[in-house]
């Protein structure tokens, strides 16, 4: 019999210690160490003496009898995965509770089952009747999806090994699975790691694609040991604000495709609806003619996306002004504020600054610097920016507006949505690809843009004159239905 070995394992990162302590030295979290039995089911003396077996080596050249990818039937999901599910791959999907992970996977499995593929949905949190109720609400109760409510990994692998190999298996969720090889409770780091390893081994052996659903912590990270994210082939994050109907599927890791693509969905009463034109959706509720708003022409993967940046600059009553940002990198906001104060003479040390990306989208692109700066200055001087203009460009520490990639795609998307002007870096003028019929305002330094906005401004409480007529694209004017 194996000797029982007790250790204290961090439930956040998986680090093990010989004794209990309040803080994990690996991840810095407090009160996350729990006592677990880390001994294996096979004695160490036997494991050390077992001889390895020989296996056949194959060449890179060779043909697979089946298609390399399996399309899910959902264009936005296939975009994020890189074209579909790869045979033998394991995907980890994380997201906040109630964000729509189970709804998304129910729709995907139903579409595949209707296409003639064997699809199995294993639920460890809900009963079969509850899954059926969701499918009935979505109008998918007639799809031939095989359901089960089970948490034992050995029983799941034994059942799936009978008959034809499933093309897709959904495990909802990996935190509820447990295996007999370890003695820890379900949900602990040891159980999650061992259960994931057993399912990954089954996927590689049989060629079935497996989707693991993972819980997330309070800061948005997938719960459990980080080693599970290294073990799987792809990690996808399902994001969205509870007050918004938009849902965004983003690839954090993908061995078979890009990690900069996003899939946009809209939550409706009948489930998730794919959004083919996210720019129009993000701009549908624009506050036209309000100081502090600017439209940013960004790129998410291969697709241009237009989104509104909202800024509010207000005098502070505190000794240290507040800096709050939602949907953008706080460090880039601090950099833009420093450049505005150092090179443009914009004094913001006595003001609170708030920046928000409308629609719940998270922007990671440096090209949003110019739009953020325009929105901040517009709010400070109470100046209305042109409602038919888009902004994009990276700001350097010297105040120079640097060029960004894929300028023609940004301009083409802006022209398609009815915008007529574009404020962009001077060095990209020759790369506009015919400028898409837009009036271009190329700026070389941030000082030039700040001077143009300040000339339109007025003190708060004063009228800034009549709003521009015929400057707003028809589809974005309030009152046009």
């Amino acid at each position: 019999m194996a000797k029982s070995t007790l250790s204290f394992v961090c439930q956040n990162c998986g680090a093990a210690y010989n004794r209990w302590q309040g803080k994990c030295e690996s991840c810095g979290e407090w009160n996350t160490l729990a006592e677990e039995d880390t001994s294996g089911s096979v004695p160490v003396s036997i494991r050390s003496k077992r001889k390895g077996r020989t296996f056949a080596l194959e060449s890179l050249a060779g043909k697979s009898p089946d298609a390399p990818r399996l399309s899910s039937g959902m264009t936005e999901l296939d975009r994020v995965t890189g074209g579909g599910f790869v045979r033998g791959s394991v995907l980890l999907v994380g997201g906040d509770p109630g964000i729509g992970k189970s709804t998304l996977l129910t729709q995907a499995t139903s579409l595949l089952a209707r296409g003639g593929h064997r699809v199995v949905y294993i639920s460890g949190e809900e009963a079969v009747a509850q899954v059926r109720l969701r499918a009935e609400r979505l109008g998918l109760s007639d799809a031939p999806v095989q359901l089960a409510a089970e948490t034992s990994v050995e029983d799941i692998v034994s059942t799936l090994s009978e008959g034809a190999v499933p093309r897709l298996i959904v495990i909802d969720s990996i935190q509820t699975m447990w295996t007999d090889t370890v003695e820890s409770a379900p949900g602990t780091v040891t159980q999650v790691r061992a259960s994931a390893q057993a399912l990954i081994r089954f996927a590689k052996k049989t060629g079935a694609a497996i989707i693991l659903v993972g819980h997330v912590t309070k800061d948005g990270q997938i719960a459990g040991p980080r080693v599970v994210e290294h073990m799987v082939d792809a990690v996808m994050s399902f994001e969205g604000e509870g007050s918004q109907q938009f849902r965004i599927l983003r690839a954090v890791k993908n061995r078979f495709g890009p990690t900069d693509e996003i899939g946009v969905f809209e939550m409706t009463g009948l489930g998730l609806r794919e959004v083919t034109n996210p720019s129009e959706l993000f701009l549908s509720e624009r506050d036209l003619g309000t100081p502090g708003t600017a439209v940013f022409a960004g790129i998410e993967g291969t697709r241009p996306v237009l989104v509104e940046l909202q800024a509010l600059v207000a005098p502070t009553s505190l000794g240290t002004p507040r800096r709050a940002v939602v949907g953008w990198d706080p460090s880039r906001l601090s950099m833009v504020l420093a450049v505005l104060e150092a090179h443009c003479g914009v004094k913001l040390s006595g003001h609170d600054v708030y920046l928000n990306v409308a629609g719940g989208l998270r922007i990671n692109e440096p090209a949003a610097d110019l739009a953020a700066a325009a929105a901040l200055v517009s709010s400070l001087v109470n100046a209305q920016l042109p409602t038919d203009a888009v902004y994009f460009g990276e700001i350097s520490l010297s105040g120079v507006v640097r060029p960004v990639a894929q300028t023609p795609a940004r301009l083409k998307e802006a022209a398609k949505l009815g915008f007529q002007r574009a404020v962009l870096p001077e060095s990209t003028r020759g790369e506009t690809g015919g400028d898409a019929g837009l009036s271009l305002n190329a700026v070389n330094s941030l000082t030039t843009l700040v001077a143009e906005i300040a000339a339109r401004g007025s003190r708060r409480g004063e009228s800034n004159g009549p709003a521009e007529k015929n400057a707003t694209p028809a589809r974005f004017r309030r009152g046009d239905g």
Side-chain angles (χ1 to χ4, degrees), residues 206-382:
T206 61
I210 298 181
I211 299 179
L212 306 177
V213 178
H215 295 168
V216 296
T217 59
K218 59 184 179 180
D219 58 350
Q221 300 295 326
I222 297 179
R226 300 288 301 204
V227 67
V228 175
E229 299 186 28
H230 300 297
M231 293 161 58
V232 299
D233 299 303
V235 179
M236 293 184 291
S237 176
F238 204 40
E239 307 167 355
E241 296 291 337
S243 59
Q244 299 282 351
Q245 69 270 30
F246 315 128
R247 299 292 185 269
I248 298 172
L249 184 65
R250 188 187 304 271
V252 181
K253 168 191 174 182
N254 194 352
R255 291 175 178 166
F256 309 110
T259 57
D260 53 359
E261 292 282 3
I262 64 170
V264 184
F265 301 87
E266 181 182 7
M267 179 62 75
T268 65
L270 297 177
L272 292 167
R273 183 182 66 86
E274 298 181 71
V275 179
T276 57
N277 189 355
S279 300
E280 188 170 0
L281 183 64
F282 289 138
L283 297 176
S284 59
E285 299 295 333
R286 284 186 61 198
D287 294 329
L288 299 175
T290 303
T293 60
V295 178
F296 165 58
I299 294 290
E300 290 289 345
T302 59
R303 179 169 55 183
V305 176
L306 270 61
V307 66
E308 182 185 36
L309 269 63
Q310 302 170 347
L312 175 62
V313 179
T316 183
S317 59
L318 305 175
T320 302
R322 291 196 61 185
R323 302 288 186 260
V325 57
V326 177
W328 201 39
D329 187 3
S331 61
R332 293 209 69 87
L333 174 62
S334 301
M335 186 204 73
V336 171
L337 294 176
V339 173
L340 285 172
E341 188 155 352
H343 297 286
C344 305
V346 179
K347 302 300 181 182
L348 295 169
S349 56
H351 294 77
D352 293 332
V353 175
Y354 305 89
L355 186 70
N356 176 49
V357 179
L361 182 65
R362 191 180 75 245
I363 298 177
N364 300 318
E365 196 180 4
D369 292 348
L370 196 63
L376 291 169
V377 177
S378 169
S379 177
L380 177 65
V381 302
N382 196 30

